[in-house]
Amino acid sequence: MNDGISETAAETAENDPLDLIWADDHLGRREDARFVSDFIRGQIELRRKNGRVASYVLNVDSPWGGGKSFFLSRLAEQLRFEGHLVAEVNAWRDDHSDDPLISLMAAIEKVLDPYLKKPGKISAAWGAAKTNGVRIAGKVAVAAAKTALKRYVGESVEDLILEAEETKQKDNKTPSAKPASEDVIGTALEEATKEISSLTDRAADALIAKFNTTSKSISGFRGNMAAITKTMAEADRKAPLFVLVDELDRCRPTYAISLLERAKHLFEADGVAFIFATDAGQLQHAVRGVYGGDFDGSGYLTRFFDRRYVFAEPDVNQFVASRIVDLDLSKLDSGLEKPRETIIHGFQALQPMPLRSVEQIIEIITATISAWSSKLPIDTASLLLLSTCYHQRQDFNTNVFFESVRGRWMFTSSRNYEQQPQRIDVFGMTVNLLAQSGDLYSGVVGRSAGPNPADEYIQRYLSREFNARIAHQQGPSILLSLRSLIQSAGRVLNDDTSR
């Protein structure tokens, strides 16, 4: 889905800024945004009145294709317009980080930046929050084992392996000989064992002290965040501070879980609200991937979310309309209505079909149009039906496919033939067009059109190509090349459609 606001949409939203923000909302998500924002503000105020920590965490749950990313981006704009500070986090983009707390703090600092340039309550509170955050995040020495070994042995692991190999080659004639490296390693391990034993008590004391320090840092961090939101009114900003997290279900499972834990345990502070947009089913798989296949992923996730808001299943017409806004319609032709409407009504007739399949077929159509080099347009219905046939069957056995859908795509012509409108079977018309395009010079093109708009369109479409190519005397129609082009287009995969 295109997250940009088109010029045409912008022109229709001159009066109300919210109309401009939601101008490209094809799935009706504006109403979802209004409810979600009002609901969270209401819940935070209720908790404040009841003496509870006035924070909230909401999971906006929708399967693939539900417009979660579009929703979050537009919701962020709406909340800013309404006077809130909004931090946006793309979890999948940031999962290279060792600790998600760093990416969360970076996103918050970005929105606080205008208020940090001069001394004040916000800058002081954020400075303290960063100090506590660094103490919490810390850094793990991943090479500790190698470092310890080199400390006692005086050599690296790689050096010891090389030495062992050289010793083995020298002692081939005396297999029972003991490599020198074994003596070195044995002595090192004995010394290491002695020192480790003597350090046990001190290590335990250090761990306990570190735990207490971390606990104080967490408590301090929460207090710092509450102080920031408490003084936001002085900066002409409204509480709560919203943190919107997208693409969590695409992250490494361990990173996704760590981010949820950080949000829950560190940002449970007055005036802080988190909104996660996820596919809960995919997120549960990630949890089970970490804790095991029998683990209750759904129950585990309820620990982190106060509530779950489920998007309604989008209407297929709205979904298709939202996915074809960028199609180059100048390369398409259609006999009964405009190409855009032909595609929308065609998918409607092909239902039921999963939204993922609809998206993948549209991707094939988009790639085919991009690669179409002829100056003559593609018949829209033929492109849709052949792309659907290939997607579902991985072949072009159109006879079998068309028989399964014949009679399900009917169009009533507004033109008056024999004193009454005619019902046109668009599937049947497309079958006839493809059949007659086999040879432009077989005499079919010269045949008179029948007294209905379907026959008139077929005649017009084929005649146009015939007239354009008559000097070259080439028999096969360009429609015959459409199959191979669709087959190639099917290999151009959009990674987002594989989720």
Side-chain angles (χ1 to χ4, degrees), residues 150-169:
K150 191 169 184 177
R151 173 186 172 188
Y152 293 113
V153 179
E155 297 179 82
S156 68
V157 175
E158 291 78 12
D159 291 335
L160 288 173
I161 293 174
L162 179 62
E163 179 186 346
E165 289 297 323
E166 292 175 349
T167 303
K168 182 177 180 181
Q169 292 177 3

Side-chain angles (χ1 to χ4, degrees), residues 366-397:
T366 302
T368 301
I369 293 175
S370 297
W372 186 259
S373 59
S374 174
K375 293 181 180 180
L376 295 172
I378 314 171
D379 174 61
T380 308
S382 297
L383 175 60
L384 171 59
L385 295 180
L386 289 174
S387 298
T388 305
C389 178
Y390 178 74
H391 174 267
Q392 294 189 349
R393 299 179 51 84
Q394 295 298 297
D395 62 30
F396 291 104
N397 191 337

Side-chain angles (χ1 to χ4, degrees), residues 431-440 442 444 447 458-459 462:
V431 170
N432 291 336
L433 174 60
L434 291 172
Q436 294 184 39
S437 67
D439 188 346
L440 292 177
S442 63
V444 172
R447 188 174 64 190
I458 293 173
Q459 179 71 12
L462 297 178

Side-chain angles (χ1 to χ4, degrees), residues 64 313-317 319-320 343 345-362 365 384-385 387-393 401 404-405 408 427:
W64 181 93
E313 182 79 6
D315 175 79
V316 65
N317 289 359
F319 181 80
V320 173
I343 295 173
H345 294 157
F347 274 114
Q348 186 179 44
L350 289 166
Q351 295 307 303
M353 182 186 296
L355 291 182
R356 176 184 289 185
S357 295
V358 172
E359 172 72 12
Q360 290 171 337
I361 294 168
I362 292 175
I365 291 173
L384 171 59
L385 295 180
S387 298
T388 305
C389 178
Y390 178 74
H391 174 267
Q392 294 189 349
R393 299 179 51 84
F401 174 72
S404 67
V405 297
R408 288 165 49 187
F427 285 112

Side-chain angles (χ1 to χ4, degrees), residues 74-304:
R74 295 299 192 269
L75 176 60
E77 293 184 46
Q78 175 179 316
L79 291 170
R80 291 189 186 103
F81 170 74
E82 294 171 346
H84 295 276
L85 291 179
V86 183
E88 297 180 82
V89 177
N90 185 313
W92 183 66
R93 181 192 60 202
D94 297 338
D95 80 345
H96 58 82
S97 172
D98 292 331
D99 192 325
L101 176 58
I102 303 301
S103 64
L104 291 173
M105 291 175 63
I108 293 173
E109 183 169 80
K110 183 178 179 180
V111 300
L112 292 178
D113 185 65
Y115 312 100
L116 304 178
K117 295 178 179 179
K118 59 181 180 180
K121 294 181 180 180
I122 292 181
S123 59
W126 181 244
K130 286 203 297 185
T131 299
N132 284 316
V134 169
R135 290 172 181 163
I136 296 167
K139 292 204 181 229
V140 180
V142 295
K146 288 185 178 181
T147 302
L149 182 60
K150 191 169 184 177
R151 173 186 172 188
Y152 293 113
V153 179
E155 297 179 82
S156 68
V157 175
E158 291 78 12
D159 291 335
L160 288 173
I161 293 174
L162 179 62
E163 179 186 346
E165 289 297 323
E166 292 175 349
T167 303
K168 182 177 180 181
Q169 292 177 3
K170 291 179 181 179
D171 297 339
N172 274 339
K173 295 182 180 180
T174 54
S176 60
K178 186 178 182 181
S181 59
E182 291 187 15
D183 290 333
V184 175
I185 294 175
T187 302
L189 290 177
E190 289 178 7
E191 295 299 323
T193 300
K194 292 178 182 178
E195 183 164 341
I196 288 171
S197 297
S198 66
L199 290 175
T200 299
D201 291 338
R202 279 180 289 169
D205 292 340
L207 287 173
I208 293 172
K210 183 178 180 181
F211 175 82
N212 291 332
T213 300
T214 302
S215 296
K216 290 180 181 178
S217 297
I218 292 174
S219 178
F221 186 87
R222 290 173 177 167
N224 302 143
M225 293 304 304
I228 290 172
T229 59
K230 186 177 181 179
T231 59
M232 280 168 49
E234 300 177 13
D236 196 27
R237 296 285 93 185
K238 297 178 182 178
L241 163 69
F242 283 92
V243 182
L244 311 186
V245 183
D246 194 16
E247 304 282 18
L248 184 68
D249 42 23
R250 298 184 69 183
C251 295
R252 290 178 288 119
T254 52
Y255 184 85
I257 292 172
S258 180
L259 196 154
L260 287 172
E261 291 174 343
R262 288 308 199 195
K264 178 65 175 179
H265 299 308
L266 300 180
F267 291 90
E268 192 175 12
D270 286 341
V272 179
F274 270 78
I275 301 177
F276 290 87
T278 73
D279 180 342
Q282 290 296 323
L283 198 55
Q284 290 175 33
H285 289 314
V287 171
R288 285 194 289 268
V290 174
Y291 293 107
D294 296 331
F295 188 78
D296 182 9
S298 177
Y300 178 78
L301 291 177
T302 59
R303 298 172 47 196
F304 301 106

Side-chain angles (χ1 to χ4, degrees), residues 7-26:
E7 293 181 5
T8 302
E11 292 173 358
T12 65
E14 296 178 353
N15 298 323
D16 186 350
L18 290 181
D19 288 342
L20 174 59
I21 291 172
W22 293 97
D24 290 339
D25 177 25
H26 298 287

